[in-house]
Amino acid sequence: MSTAVDTSHELTRPPANTSGWLARINVGKLLAHFALLALVVLWTFPTAGLMISSLRDKDQLAISGWWTALTTSNAQGVVRIGKADVQIEENGNFIIRGNIFGTDTNKELESFGLTNKELAAAVAGQSLPMKVGGEITVQDNGAFEWVSNTKFTHTRGPRIFYKATIAPRFTIDNYIEVLSANGVGRSFINSFTVTIPATIIPILMAAFAAYALAWMQFPFRGFIVALVVGLLVVPLQMSLIPLLSLYNKLAGAFGAEDGKTYLGIWMAHTAFGLPLAIYLLRNYMVGLPKEIMESARIDGASHFKIFTGMVLPLSFPALASFSIFQFLWVWNDLLVAMVFLGAQEGKLVLTGKLVSLLGSRGNNWEILTAGAFITIVVPLIVFLSLQRYFVRGLLAGSVKGG
Amino acid sequence: MSEILQQVFGALFAIVIALGGCVAYFWGTNWLLDKTLAEDPRLTGRQSSDRDSLRSLIRPWLFMFPALLFLTVYLVYPVIETLRLSFLDNSSTNFVGFYNYIWAFGDGNFRQAIFNNVVWLIVVPSFATAFGLVIAVLADRLWWGNIAKSLVFMPMAISFVGASVIWKFVYDYRAEGSEQIGILNAIVTGFGLPPQAWITIPFWNSILLMVILIWIQTGFAMVILSAALRGIPEETLEAARIDGANDFRIFFDIMIPQIWGTIVVVWTTITIVVLKVFDIIFAMTNGQWDTEVLANLMFKWMFVNFDYGRGSAIAVILMLAVLPIMVWNIRRSNAEEGTR
């Protein structure tokens, strides 16, 4: 008999006094997973609902929730079929043909009848006798054939009541309609026209000012820094009326009819974005290593050379952060666009267009969902691809450690 | 079509002119400064250093001039001017003293707006910060945390108007008996209760509008708080765990006090956003059914009724509400400067 200790057996068994502890850890982690999952679902379902809805068939959208979008739904309907003048003669019989579903291809017939109390009078492929003569047969796909051996003389097409299952139909029709017929395409271009210059123009101005406030010595520097920090929170509403009056006066001086121009809104957005730009850039430049600049100063370089040669290239991450912020802010803005560009057709940006659609087509969810999605698709792409810089910008100056 | 092309070319042209102008200004003025106050070996030491000082005195102002010009014209001057307009009448011709302000506090709509703003200020920052904190803590411990954070953060990229459409869809109402297409009513009818036209119910509709802003701002809170949490020294947390503290104790007694400064910053930043919120109310209800807020009321008086006196007064009141936070921010920034 072996006296060797069977250590392998002991090693595979977990220590007895910690097994309860291990089980508890797993439950805690599991709860954490579930809690986070619940929160994430809560945060994403509204946007998901919008996206799925925008791809749905217009009629389905109006009658059923988007969460049923992946299953077939049932519906009842009634349609009036052809009058006597559409009959054709074939082999001695008089025939009227057509499709009770019109051009819809995703419906499948369950049953049909001649009055709405007898919806289940016949199923697909069967025939029913018609009051004005002949028999009607309806197929699965809605195609019907009404045959009679006497000529049809009715003046009003009889009605067919039916029950059908509707398979989910996804389509980009809503997008096509919104872009072409509702002016959203134009607003899309307008938004770009407003946003891109407003993002690019402030950059150099802010960068130079930020460098001066970060690394140059001069009186009132502290005051100007405090001014920039204060201006960060000034509500835009304080600036609107005086600026609009100013623009109108200037426009009058130049003979134009009103002060609502693209130039005006570019300058306004540039100015409104400057406090944030200077703040972000200055925070970043202040964090650059002092030694590089000092050694350059000792070598006789002027501030101008140091800035354009070293600091500006090094500040690229902060410049990127600000650009993303400014792009998103200007693209998503409603108030400044409405005040400085106006609300006439042809000058609306996407946000203004969406508001006008909410008012005029408030019940056409197929237009609203597709329109809203077009509004958000560009910022989403910008955000998702450049998230890192966006987050970095947010963190600048906001984090307070222990 | 040609109008669109004109527009696009106009934009490109503007970019080129602006960038070119900036470059010309900055490089030009600096070159000019260096030329006119050039270093001259013929000068005495004293004169030379005087000249250097003069150059370094002028140069910062050259750097800052364009930005300062824009800031003054577009932000500083309008603030003062709006303050002045608030003391004039609706056509800005006669001085009426504090009349506009007295009118405001007597006006029913204004009082409703103030009440709503106060509720917004209490509810939105607290919930957004709380949710942001909880999600940050959970996401930092789990392997799929980064994906979760991106998804929660995503609403920040969406415009307020887009978010309003999204949530209007959620709150949609169909008459009793028809199938509901809005999720909220679908859940409510699923429990057997009658569907409601949510955005028309006073007070609860405001809460539902606040949900939209909470939905957007939680991502912001989460990102900032997540970074702050990562700044907590690992040793502190380890020591607490060894001492036997469970997760809740660690959360409330250690984590929160350590990042308290950041929590306050997040809270105040969201508060500013809440005070200025205009798009959501404008798009969803335009202030009807008791949802009015100051920013929307101001817009109506300024751009629908064209009463610049009253509109300006409301803007000034909005500014006063923001003032404490502004002062606090400036003080904090100065304190940081001092340690630099």
Side-chain angles (χ1 to χ4, degrees):
Chain A
M1 188 164 96
S2 165
T3 54
V5 174
D6 188 356
T7 52
S8 62
H9 188 60
E10 289 208 45
L11 282 173
T12 52
R13 223 173 358 131
N17 63 337
T18 54
S19 63
W21 188 64
L22 270 172
R24 230 188 313 135
I25 288 275
N26 280 335
V27 167
K29 259 286 168 73
L30 209 60
L31 273 177
H33 278 287
F34 270 123
L36 190 61
L37 188 64
L39 285 167
V40 169
V41 165
L42 198 60
W43 250 259
T44 49
F45 87 82
T47 324
L50 185 90
M51 210 174 72
I52 295 177
S53 299
S54 68
L55 292 168
R56 287 179 76 201
D57 171 64
K58 173 159 95 173
D59 299 313
Q60 288 186 325
L61 183 48
I63 58 170
S64 64
W66 60 267
W67 53 94
T68 64
L70 298 175
T71 60
T72 57
S73 52
N74 291 311
Q76 300 172 349
V78 57
V79 64
R80 207 175 270 286
I81 58 177
K83 299 196 284 229
D85 47 8
V86 301
Q87 65 183 308
I88 53 177
E89 196 174 336
E90 250 179 52
N91 302 328
N93 285 326
F94 298 88
I95 304 182
I96 295 182
R97 288 203 182 92
N99 191 308
I100 61 173
F101 294 145
T103 50
D104 291 340
T105 51
N106 60 331
K107 292 189 171 130
E108 193 176 308
L109 187 70
E110 264 187 15
S111 67
F112 69 99
L114 301 174
T115 69
N116 70 353
K117 291 196 177 54
E118 293 173 2
L119 274 173
V123 297
Q126 291 182 341
S127 309
L128 282 179
M130 296 288 277
K131 226 167 65 170
V132 295
E135 271 191 352
I136 188 166
T137 318
V138 187
Q139 305 299 332
D140 262 351
N141 60 357
F144 69 83
E145 199 179 57
W146 183 7
V147 183
S148 168
N149 47 20
T150 55
K151 198 164 173 170
F152 292 114
T153 50
H154 60 273
T155 46
R156 234 173 91 168
R159 289 185 297 176
I160 303 284
F161 294 81
Y162 63 84
K163 262 210 256 183
T165 56
I166 310 180
R169 199 183 79 152
F170 291 107
T171 167
I172 59 168
D173 283 351
N174 300 333
Y175 285 97
I176 297 175
E177 184 180 347
V178 148
L179 279 172
S180 54
N182 286 279
V184 171
R186 180 63 197 272
S187 293
F188 196 72
I189 299 180
N190 289 351
S191 278
F192 269 114
T193 311
V194 170
T195 309
I196 300 205
T199 306
I200 297 182
I201 297 178
I203 292 183
L204 261 189
M205 266 192 260
F208 270 92
Y211 178 77
L213 291 172
W215 289 110
M216 296 171 89
Q217 302 290 342
F218 57 93
F220 298 119
R221 186 174 87 164
F223 172 73
I224 298 185
V225 172
L227 181 71
V228 168
V229 172
L231 287 177
L232 273 176
V233 300
V234 165
L236 267 186
Q237 284 87 350
M238 288 294 278
S239 307
L240 299 177
I241 303 177
L243 285 175
L244 199 55
S245 303
L246 191 67
Y247 277 8
N248 283 333
K249 285 197 197 114
L250 276 177
F254 279 104
E257 48 173 69
D258 70 16
K260 298 191 179 172
T261 59
Y262 278 108
L263 179 65
I265 197 174
W266 289 327
M267 308 239 293
H269 271 301
T270 299
F272 294 147
L274 275 177
L276 183 66
I278 299 178
Y279 182 75
L280 278 181
L281 289 173
R282 180 179 178 268
N283 268 359
Y284 186 83
M285 289 181 190
V286 156
L288 290 175
K290 231 166 150 186
E291 299 77 38
I292 318 182
M293 276 171 271
E294 279 177 352
S295 57
R297 298 278 294 154
I298 293 175
D299 286 346
S302 72
H303 271 297
F304 186 77
K305 283 234 170 46
I306 297 178
F307 175 65
T308 52
M310 285 198 312
V311 175
L312 193 56
L314 281 178
S315 301
F316 175 75
L319 291 172
S321 294
F322 167 70
S323 303
I324 297 168
F325 262 109
Q326 181 77 340
F327 182 89
L328 287 179
W329 191 76
V330 177
W331 182 276
N332 289 335
D333 157 78
L334 175 68
L335 184 58
V336 176
M338 273 177 46
V339 171
F340 288 103
L341 203 56
Q344 329 138 285
E345 277 307 305
K347 275 202 151 171
L348 279 174
V349 293
L350 275 176
T351 43
K353 186 73 204 173
L354 198 55
V355 170
S356 111
L357 283 178
L358 264 177
S360 61
R361 311 280 241 123
N363 286 319
N364 296 49
W365 280 111
E366 76 276 8
I367 296 195
L368 286 176
T369 50
F373 200 73
I374 291 179
T375 322
I376 72 181
V377 76
V378 169
L380 273 185
I381 293 178
V382 167
F383 166 75
L384 287 173
S385 52
L386 300 167
Q387 218 180 121
R388 202 161 32 117
Y389 291 109
F390 190 54
V391 169
R392 193 179 302 189
L394 272 188
L395 294 178
S398 296
V399 181
K400 278 220 137 330
Chain B
M1 190 54 187
S2 70
E3 198 190 329
I4 297 183
L5 273 179
Q6 252 186 347
Q7 192 174 301
V8 171
F9 275 124
L12 289 172
F13 187 65
I15 297 177
V16 168
I17 296 277
L19 280 181
C22 276
V23 169
Y25 165 82
F26 285 116
W27 269 255
T29 53
N30 273 279
W31 173 84
L32 198 63
L33 182 69
D34 285 335
K35 195 113 194 290
T36 48
L37 291 179
E39 303 197 345
D40 192 340
R42 295 172 299 173
L43 296 172
T44 65
R46 173 77 189 275
Q47 286 173 322
S48 199
S49 88
D50 277 351
R51 192 171 270 198
D52 284 345
S53 307
L54 193 58
R55 268 207 315 272
S56 36
L57 195 61
I58 297 181
R59 205 188 302 271
W61 297 100
L62 288 179
F63 274 33
M64 294 192 299
F65 176 70
L68 285 182
L69 182 69
F70 267 89
L71 286 178
T72 312
V73 171
Y74 279 86
L75 285 172
V76 177
Y77 151 74
V79 167
I80 303 175
E81 176 71 1
T82 300
L83 188 59
R84 186 184 77 91
L85 286 177
S86 70
F87 293 121
L88 303 178
D89 69 0
N90 58 346
S91 53
S92 305
T93 43
N94 306 310
F95 180 75
V96 292
F98 282 97
Y99 174 71
N100 289 323
Y101 293 92
I102 298 173
W103 159 82
F105 284 102
D107 180 57
N109 276 333
F110 182 83
R111 291 214 286 261
Q112 175 76 61
I114 293 254
F115 172 74
N116 283 335
N117 269 115
V118 168
V119 180
W120 277 78
L121 282 176
I122 296 176
V123 170
V124 176
S126 47
F127 274 89
T129 311
F131 273 120
L133 191 55
V134 168
I135 297 178
V137 167
L138 287 175
D140 280 343
R141 294 167 76 202
L142 304 177
W143 62 267
W144 57 287
N146 280 331
I147 302 175
K149 287 202 287 190
S150 287
L151 286 173
V152 172
F153 195 39
M154 204 175 60
M156 274 220 91
I158 302 177
S159 63
F160 285 164
V161 181
S164 299
V165 173
I166 292 179
W167 283 88
K168 197 163 203 195
F169 197 43
V170 171
Y171 296 146
D172 183 74
Y173 165 74
R174 292 284 144 112
E176 190 160 357
S178 348
E179 191 163 338
Q180 299 295 330
I181 64 170
I183 291 199
L184 189 58
N185 270 329
I187 296 178
V188 161
T189 52
F191 279 112
L193 301 165
Q196 305 287 344
W198 297 105
I199 56 178
T200 61
I201 306 175
F203 188 69
W204 294 109
N205 52 5
S206 281
I207 302 282
L208 290 177
L209 294 184
M210 291 177 213
V211 165
I212 304 178
L213 194 56
I214 296 174
W215 180 67
I216 295 176
Q217 293 292 317
T218 296
F220 165 77
M222 175 199 73
V223 162
I224 310 268
L225 292 169
S226 178
L229 282 171
R230 264 185 251 129
I232 300 179
E234 191 58 37
E235 303 84 51
T236 322
L237 298 172
E238 268 306 309
R241 278 199 204 104
I242 290 176
D243 282 349
N246 71 21
D247 286 331
F248 282 107
R249 287 286 304 281
I250 294 182
F251 180 69
F252 284 104
D253 294 342
I254 298 181
M255 284 182 170
I256 292 194
Q258 285 260 337
I259 58 172
W260 185 249
T262 310
I263 293 181
V264 175
V265 170
V266 166
W267 191 300
T268 55
T269 312
I270 299 180
T271 299
I272 306 251
V273 175
V274 171
L275 275 172
K276 298 195 280 183
V277 73
F278 156 75
D279 313 32
I280 297 182
I281 290 94
F282 183 69
M284 295 284 276
T285 60
N286 201 11
Q288 299 168 72
W289 306 298
D290 288 350
T291 51
E292 192 69 273
V293 292
L294 283 178
N296 198 39
L297 192 64
M298 188 215 76
F299 182 81
K300 278 186 187 151
W301 279 107
M302 273 191 201
F303 298 107
V304 176
N305 299 338
F306 295 107
D307 185 333
Y308 286 177
R310 289 182 180 170
S312 300
I314 301 180
V316 170
I317 293 173
L318 204 62
M319 175 86 186
L320 288 176
V322 167
L323 206 56
I325 300 182
M326 185 192 299
V327 169
W328 187 77
N329 274 354
I330 294 180
R331 279 207 174 156
R332 198 171 56 97
S333 156
N334 281 343
E336 276 173 18
E337 283 300 293
T339 59
R340 212 189 112 206

